[in-house]
């Protein structure tokens, strides 16, 4: 058993009562590991058919599977094709329990490293707006890598304080995911480092959770829904935090979360839900759905951004795309990219958010980085390639996940291909693109992102 603080043990005895022994015995057992199909690219059934390392389905996740840690799914070429996201099983319950539909405006306010952002994106299906924010600049790099790897094109990644966000997006979002900073008690079994800072974390995170809840309340449109979640056990960060919020915000109500597949609730807030390690195969998590009341004569439509103005000076549409890109598209692709574009430092972006933001607002990525213009050439980005399907390429090289050639490709090595015409090729595994290369005389010049290469 891990070296758990006595104060924590005493609190868990009070919390779990007759179930305490069952709870504490879970620390003698190994953790569970999960992955979730990225349904922007592949269905759950299709993934199961080609990924022989996945196990049983995770019952509270629409797209999740358990896997054996010894299988190392992050080393599979299928992972590099963005077909699944590796995530703790209980954490999958968060987005699974909030209704997100294509076309909605959704905020993931504490988003790093991006697991819930990717799950939200799969529900939006490329439609609507996903704002993925984290206050830590270094952690936004993980979000950026993940939205590129998983083929997300409609995300605005921001690096802002919640007070700035609430000024920019008043009553704007249809849905908000607040996976709040917490003391992490539910993850002690997986991460012993959390134990060392536990007592301080409880004290420090409660006021932060309160502030975040109040900011999210301001950013949610009337009739909108937010989900509050933590990976901790104590009531102060969970049920009592929500009850305090409701006392401050009488225009909100709790929505019932179904108690199935091992989810339970406590009498103090029966509409909420808990995932507990002695009740199911996962770590500890808390969930609560909150709906904002409609105002008199309020519309179902989301409000506009405060002081928003369309940007017309720098944005352009397909008819003004640079000829370098249009030539590349005509020669190599079966699609025609459309939308609102901008060029910055010879880099072409397809933007998802086209209205003016306040001065100094920190944007990490707005939509899709399409590629770079270098004199007469257009060089596609890895992010753009990952949004494409096999049929989008005029020429395509296919490999099986077990083929040594695809491992060489992922390591950035040159590979050799017989009986193919020279030219630009999409490169993929089991029907799903990984990158591209330029073939000449049977030798493929590797275009795979240098920063993504397997080691």
């Amino acid at each position: 058993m891990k070296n758990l603080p006595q104060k924590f043990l005493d609190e868990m005895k009070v919390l779990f009562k007759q179930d305490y022994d069952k709870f504490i015995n879970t620390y003698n057992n190994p953790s569970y590991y999960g992955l979730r199909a990225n349904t922007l690219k592949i269905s759950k059934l299709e993934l199961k058919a080609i990924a022989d390392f996945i196990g049983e389905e995770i019952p509270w996740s629409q797209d999740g599977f358990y896997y054996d840690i010894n299988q190392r799914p992050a080393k599979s070429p299928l992972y590099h094709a963005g077909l699944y996201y590796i995530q703790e099983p209980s954490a999958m319950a968060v987005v699974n329990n909030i209704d997100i539909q294509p076309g909605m405006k959704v905020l993931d306010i504490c988003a790093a490293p991006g697991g819930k952002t990717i799950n939200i994106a799969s529900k939006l299906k490329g439609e609507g707006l996903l704002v993925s924010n984290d206050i830590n600049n270094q952690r936004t790099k993980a979000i950026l890598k993940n939205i590129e790897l998983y083929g997300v094109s409609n995300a605005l990644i921001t690096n802002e304080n919640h007070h700035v966000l609430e000024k920019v997006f008043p009553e704007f979002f249809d849905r908000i995911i607040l996976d709040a900073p917490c003391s992490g008690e539910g993850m002690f079994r997986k991460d012993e480092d959390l134990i060392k800072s536990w007592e301080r974390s409880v004290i420090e995170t409660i006021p932060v959770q309160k502030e975040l809840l109040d900011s999210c309340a301001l950013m949610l449109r009337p009739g909108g829904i937010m989900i509050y979640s933590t990976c901790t056990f104590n009531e102060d960060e969970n049920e009592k935090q929500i009850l305090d919020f409701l006392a401050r915000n009488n225009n909100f109500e709790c929505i019932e979360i179904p108690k199935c597949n091992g989810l339970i609730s406590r009498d103090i807030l029966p509409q909420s839900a808990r995932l507990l390690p002695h009740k199911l195969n996962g770590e500890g998590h808390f969930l609560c759905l909150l709906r904002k009341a409609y105002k008199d004569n309020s519309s179902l439509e989301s409000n506009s951004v405060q002081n928003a103005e369309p940007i017309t000076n720098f944005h352009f549409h397909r008819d003004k795309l640079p000829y370098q890109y249009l030539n590349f598209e005509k020669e190599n692709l079966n699609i025609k990219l459309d939308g609102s574009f901008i060029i910055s430092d010879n880099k072409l972006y397809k933007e998802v958010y086209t209205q003016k933001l306040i001065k100094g607002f920190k944007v990490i990525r707005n939509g899709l980085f399409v590629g770079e213009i270098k004199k007469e050439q257009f060089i596609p980005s890895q992010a753009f390639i990952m949004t494409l399907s096999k049929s989008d390429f005029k020429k395509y090289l296919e490999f099986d996940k077990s083929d040594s050639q695809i491992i060489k490709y992922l390591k950035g090595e040159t590979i050799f291909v017989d009986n193919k015409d020279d030219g630009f090729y999409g490169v993929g595994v089991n029907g799903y693109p990984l990158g591209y290369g330029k073939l000449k005389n049977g030798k493929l010049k590797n275009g795979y992102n240098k920063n993504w290469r397997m080691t």
Side-chain angles (χ1 to χ4, degrees), residues 118-129:
I118 302 308
N119 202 353
I120 295 163
S122 69
K123 291 179 176 292
L124 289 175
K125 302 184 186 303
E127 301 175 24
L129 172 67

Side-chain angles (χ1 to χ4, degrees), residues 177-322:
I177 287 74
L178 170 52
D179 187 37
C182 69
S183 57
E185 295 166 350
M187 299 298 289
F188 283 179
R189 182 164 62 166
K190 292 193 76 170
D191 188 351
E192 292 191 42
D193 288 340
L194 293 171
I195 299 172
K196 301 171 186 175
S197 59
W198 164 71
E199 199 162 357
R200 187 186 77 247
S201 293
V202 175
I203 296 169
E204 292 178 351
T205 56
I206 289 175
V208 174
Q209 294 159 358
K210 177 182 176 181
E211 284 194 20
L212 285 166
L213 275 164
D214 288 344
S215 286
C216 288
L218 296 173
M219 290 186 280
L220 195 66
R221 71 161 176 84
I225 298 171
M226 67 173 165
I227 190 164
Y228 173 84
S229 67
T230 72
C231 56
T232 205
F233 297 122
N234 72 79
E235 289 184 344
D236 291 336
E237 297 180 69
N238 295 327
E239 291 92 350
K240 290 181 180 179
Q241 184 71 270
I242 295 299
L243 291 171
D244 287 346
F245 170 80
L246 292 171
R248 297 190 304 275
N249 296 270
N250 60 8
N251 59 335
F252 275 81
E253 64 173 342
C254 278
I255 304 174
E256 178 75 24
I257 294 177
K259 308 307 183 296
C260 55
N261 300 315
L263 276 68
I264 65 168
S265 64
R266 299 183 64 77
D267 291 341
I268 186 174
L269 191 63
Q271 302 96 327
S272 64
R274 283 177 176 257
L275 293 88
L276 299 173
H278 57 289
K279 298 288 187 181
L280 44 71
N281 295 336
E283 308 304 323
H285 233 83
F286 170 82
L287 314 171
C288 185
L289 281 171
L290 297 160
R291 178 164 52 209
K292 190 174 188 176
Y294 287 108
K295 296 177 181 177
D296 292 339
N297 301 318
S298 66
S299 167
L300 289 174
E301 295 296 322
S302 299
N303 290 346
S304 298
V305 179
Q306 181 177 339
N307 300 322
E309 301 174 24
I311 295 177
T312 57
N313 293 336
F314 304 106
H315 288 252
F316 54 86
H317 294 278
R318 179 173 176 85
D319 58 342
K320 292 185 179 179
L321 276 168

Side-chain angles (χ1 to χ4, degrees), residues 309-312 315 317 339-341 351-356 366:
E309 301 174 24
I311 295 177
T312 57
H315 288 252
H317 294 278
S340 179
F341 301 91
E351 298 208 315
V352 65
Y353 190 81
T354 58
Q355 293 181 310
K356 186 178 288 186
N366 183 356

